[in-house]
Structures are given as C-alpha cells and as structure tokens.
Amino acid sequence: MNETSRPDHVTGMRCTLCGKTYLPGEVDYVCPDHGNEGILDIEYDYDAIRRRISPQSLALDRTCSQWRYRPLLPVLPDTPAPAAAVGWTPLYETDRLATSLGLHALYVKDDSRQPTGSLKDRASALAVMKAREVGAGMITTASTGNAAAALAGMCAASDMACTIFVPRSAPRAKVAQLLAYGARVFLVDGSYDDAFELCLKAAGKYGWYNRNTGFNPYMAEGKKTAAFEICEQLDWQCPDAVFVGVGDGCIISGLHKGFMDLFRLGWIDRIPRLMGVQAEGSDFLYRCWKEGADPVTFPAIKAHTVADSISAGLPRDRRKAVAAVNGTGGAFLRVSDEAILAAIPELARLTGVFAEPAGASPLAGLHAALDQDLVARDETCVLLATGSGLKDVDATIRACDAEPPVIAPTLDALGDALNSAKRNQES
Ligand SMILES: *Cc1c(COP(=O)(O)O)cnc(C)c1O
Ligand SMILES: [Zn+2]
C-alpha cells in the first residue's frame, strides 16, 4: 500500500517500544529498529472520526456486524468486507449467575456466536481486508486453533487463500474447521510458540501476508470492536470491570484500545478495569505483572493448560497486555485448570452460554477476583465468552464427569433408570 492509499483517519503507526511513528505502508508489520518486539499501535485522527460517526448515527444504523464501526477501523472506504456476519454478538444480562455470586449486575458477551465460533473472527476479517489492500494472494498465520479457524473461514468468505500452522495438539474440532474451509494446513510437531516462529520465517521466505497475533498491528484493531459493542449495548455506560482469558494478550490489548478510542471520542467518561485471566500452567503475564518485571525481557515459560486458546509461553502482545491491565487499574488473575473446567458447566447452566475452556475462564477469574476483594458486589462486570464450547468437547466431557445411562427404548427401562438415579442421589 502506498501513502496515498492510506485511510485518511489513520495518522500513523507508533512503535510501542521506542515511540517512533511510521506512516501506514512505510513499514509492513513491526518497527524495524526492534525486530519482533517493535509492535506497532495504530493512531487515529479523532476529529475526522467524530465527523463521520456518533452515538446518534449508530442508533439509526441497522448494520448488525462490527462494520457499524467502520469509521473507527483502519481500512479504506471501498475495501470489501468478507461476506460473514462478524461481531454485534449478544450481551446477556445474567440473573441467576449474578445472584449466585452475590453480584449486583453481571453480563456475558457471547462471542461463541461468531461465524467460526470465536472472537478471532473480528481480527481475521480485518486481516483479509488488509491483505487485499496490499494486493496479497496468500495469507498465513500460526495459531493455537481459533485464529486459524477464523482466518480460514474469513478467507473462504472472501475468496482468498491461506496457509495455516497449528500445533499438532490442536483440538480436532478446530482442525476440522480448517479442513472444511479449504485452508492449506500444517500440523507443527511442536508448541504454538514453535509454530509462530516457523510461520514468521515462511511468510518472509514466500512473501505471504502475515496475520500473526501481535506481530500484525491490525489484529488488536479488529478485536477492539468487542469493547465498542459492550459500551453501545449498555447505552454508552461503561461497566466497572471486564474479564477475559489471556494468552498472547492481543484481545485484552484490543479491548483497551477500544475503550480508549471511545474515551478519546468523549462517548464514555471512564474506562473499565481490565481483568486478564491466565491458567496456572500458562501464567507468563500474571507473574511478570505481579513482579513488576519488564515484559520484553521476562523469560519465556513452557506453557501447558487444558485451555489451549490461552496457552502461550511467550505472549506476543505482552507489553500491550500489561499496559492494558496497569493502565486501567485492573489485575491479572491466575486460575487452575480444574477451576476453568468447573466454570464451563457453571456458565452453561446459569446463563445458557456454552464456552470452550478459555471462553469460560473469565468466570473462574471472577471467582478469584471476588475471593481477593478485587470486585465489589455493587459493581457491574462483564465476562467475555471468547469461544464456543463446541470447539473442544473433550474438555467439557471431562468437566461434566458424567456418563449418561444407556437404556432400552421402553418406559420400564426409563422408570428403572430414574429410580436408580434417585437412589444414587440419596446415597
Ligand atoms: C485467542 C483466544 C483467547 C486469548 O486471546 P489472546 O489475544 O491470545 O490473549 C481467549 N479465548 C479464546 C477462545 C481465544 O481463541
Ligand atoms: Zn521501535
């Protein structure tokens, strides 16, 4: 993309390490002075945006997707969006869950309802558009599974090709999605972090457009639309705290960016505390934040958790993620795999939202935050259910730990089964 074809409301791309600003098109992904650590942040002309969009214009806008916020996104006016209804997912007010936790108001933002079943669609849709703007014919990404499924789905909805690198251990449902969408898939015999490094090298060697999380500065921009929706759905009232599962830290960074955009526009008058939930076995950001250490130099860990979507030994957006928590007065929370698994049926039974482990982890984090008095009972909280439970049914079967009885198709057999269930309950 040359300079004349940059969106006129985008003023630049600022390096989060050194502060140097580039024009879009001047560099491809990261600040050349810092290699992969030089993650860029997109900057906007908010006066120009304010002339094109307002809470009043949105109230009349019937676009039921994240493209209702197009003037706030870094794309050219005529770049076609994938033919998929990305975003504008429901925000449910929970009654029974709020009551059972003793909370005044608790909402669940249900991003399991995205076209490919996870929040990653918000970013991948933007990736396909940016690839088209630069004339790329092939997009690539490394992923624990959902970013890949989202990219494959958005490519299928836009007639674009993609090459995907996922760890060999990725849940089968996510691999099935990749195959169905017709992606070229490589199962990497290694971790997500290994797949990430390979993907970076391959993109460089073959000239593919690179969607990699963190590395591609536009991904947080796509994810920020979740923050826009939460505020609009609450009538431009800001919640007090938003809980989200954190792996690479791109979603929490995107949320921060989204709330900051609205704050700079004057549409909200404060920013919610961002609460990043990490699994015990993948707690890089929690530990780094707790110790007040520099995320760039903090040593990588070997990540292992049942919540595959938040398994990251070297979170790619670590600087922005720590800044999102510190800049909003939030916290990182560390929860066990057992607590994450227990949150799946709890969320499903009390709200009707069936989430994968990473998508239910915010509820486990809310329990931890209540235990630590990080949330007051009269505050309004939002749980971001980032991915569908259908993505990883093995985890749910483990979580529910129940074998339904097999019965003959007769009322007698049903009667026996009901009686024995009753006896089991009594004993
Ligand atoms: C990717 C993902 C996350 C975590 O997002 P990061 O940007 O890696 O922190 C959480 N939940 C689900 C379902 C995801 O797919
Ligand atoms: Zn720099």
Side-chain angles (χ1 to χ4, degrees):
M1 185 171 51
N2 60 38
E3 200 194 314
T4 51
S5 67
R6 88 186 147 86
D8 64 1
H9 58 295
V10 175
T11 55
M13 307 166 60
R14 182 185 296 272
C15 174
T16 53
L17 262 186
C18 70
K20 198 166 164 186
T21 306
Y22 302 90
L23 285 173
E26 200 180 333
V27 293
D28 291 328
Y29 304 104
V30 286
C31 175
D33 295 350
H34 303 104
N36 297 348
E37 310 313 330
I39 291 180
L40 300 173
D41 181 42
I42 311 294
E43 298 193 320
Y44 294 92
D45 173 352
Y46 290 97
D47 289 328
I49 292 171
R50 226 180 264 114
R51 285 193 291 274
R52 289 175 197 157
I53 187 171
S54 66
Q56 293 74 29
S57 73
L58 282 164
L60 301 173
D61 188 337
R62 297 171 69 165
T63 310
C64 290
S65 71
Q66 69 180 3
W67 305 117
R68 56 195 283 105
Y69 308 109
R70 195 163 167 139
L72 276 150
L73 294 170
V75 284
L76 293 169
D78 47 9
T79 308
V86 176
W88 202 241
T89 56
L91 182 74
Y92 296 120
E93 179 159 20
T94 74
D95 253 356
R96 282 177 297 145
L97 184 57
T99 307
S100 88
L101 295 168
L103 281 172
H104 158 75
L106 177 63
Y107 293 84
V108 176
K109 175 79 172 155
D110 184 12
D111 260 44
S112 75
R113 292 257 304 243
Q114 295 282 6
T116 78
S118 86
L119 184 144
K120 300 291 196 297
D121 286 347
R122 297 180 185 275
S124 288
L126 204 57
V128 172
M129 294 165 81
K130 296 313 288 180
R132 201 168 302 284
E133 286 179 3
V134 297
M138 175 66 73
I139 313 186
T140 189
T141 198
S143 163
T144 58
N146 282 339
L151 183 61
M154 292 306 119
C155 281
S158 337
D159 193 18
M160 174 78 79
C162 63
T163 301
I164 302 291
F165 300 89
V166 288
R168 199 178 162 176
S169 59
R172 284 178 65 75
K174 297 179 184 180
V175 177
Q177 286 184 287
L178 300 174
L179 298 176
Y181 289 129
R184 180 165 64 183
V185 185
F186 293 102
L187 299 181
V188 178
D189 193 7
S191 65
Y192 165 56
D193 303 287
D194 297 327
F196 195 100
E197 295 303 331
L198 175 60
C199 180
L200 281 183
K201 288 184 202 146
K205 173 158 185 190
Y206 297 107
W208 299 330
Y209 186 79
N210 194 332
R211 180 228 176 271
N212 271 5
T213 297
F215 186 76
N216 185 316
Y218 294 111
M219 298 306 91
E221 299 298 312
K223 292 168 184 172
K224 77 182 180 182
T225 57
F228 296 166
E229 290 174 18
I230 290 169
C231 290
E232 187 176 2
Q233 288 166 325
L234 291 175
D235 255 332
W236 306 107
Q237 299 297 309
C238 215
D240 295 297
V242 177
F243 288 76
V244 59
V246 177
D248 274 322
C250 185
I251 297 181
I252 198 165
S253 311
L255 291 173
H256 188 208
K257 182 67 174 286
F259 288 118
M260 286 304 295
D261 277 352
L262 299 183
F263 184 76
R264 289 183 182 123
L265 285 165
W267 299 2
I268 56 175
D269 56 11
R270 61 198 178 94
I271 303 277
R273 306 198 298 284
L274 293 177
M275 312 294 268
V277 183
Q278 292 221 285
E280 260 172 17
S282 179
D283 63 349
F284 178 110
L285 288 167
Y286 169 84
R287 285 203 281 140
C288 177
W289 168 78
K290 195 93 184 160
E291 292 171 23
D294 178 358
V296 173
T297 52
F298 199 74
I301 59 168
K302 266 214 151 5
H304 187 78
T305 164
V306 67
D308 64 293
S309 298
I310 51 172
S311 185
L314 185 65
R316 299 295 159 168
D317 249 335
R318 51 198 183 277
R319 257 180 83 88
K320 280 189 189 171
V322 171
V325 164
N326 285 336
T328 61
F332 279 104
L333 298 147
R334 185 175 179 273
V335 295
S336 67
D337 276 6
E338 292 68 45
I340 292 173
L341 286 175
I344 296 174
E346 186 187 8
L347 184 69
R349 289 167 197 188
L350 295 180
T351 71
V353 174
F354 177 25
E356 66 167 272
S361 68
L363 176 53
L366 175 56
H367 281 291
L370 287 167
D371 288 345
Q372 297 169 44
D373 287 326
L374 294 175
V375 168
R377 306 278 162 180
D378 62 350
E379 290 191 306
T380 300
C381 296
V382 174
L383 305 176
L384 190 50
T386 42
S388 165
L390 295 176
K391 295 265 192 182
D392 185 359
V393 291
D394 290 341
T396 301
I397 287 173
R398 250 179 85 187
C400 295
D401 191 27
E403 262 313 307
V406 177
I407 59 167
T410 64
L411 273 179
D412 282 348
L414 174 62
D416 290 346
L418 288 172
N419 283 333
S420 92
K422 204 162 146 206
R423 272 199 306 279
N424 281 344
Q425 249 170 21
E426 283 160 1
S427 70

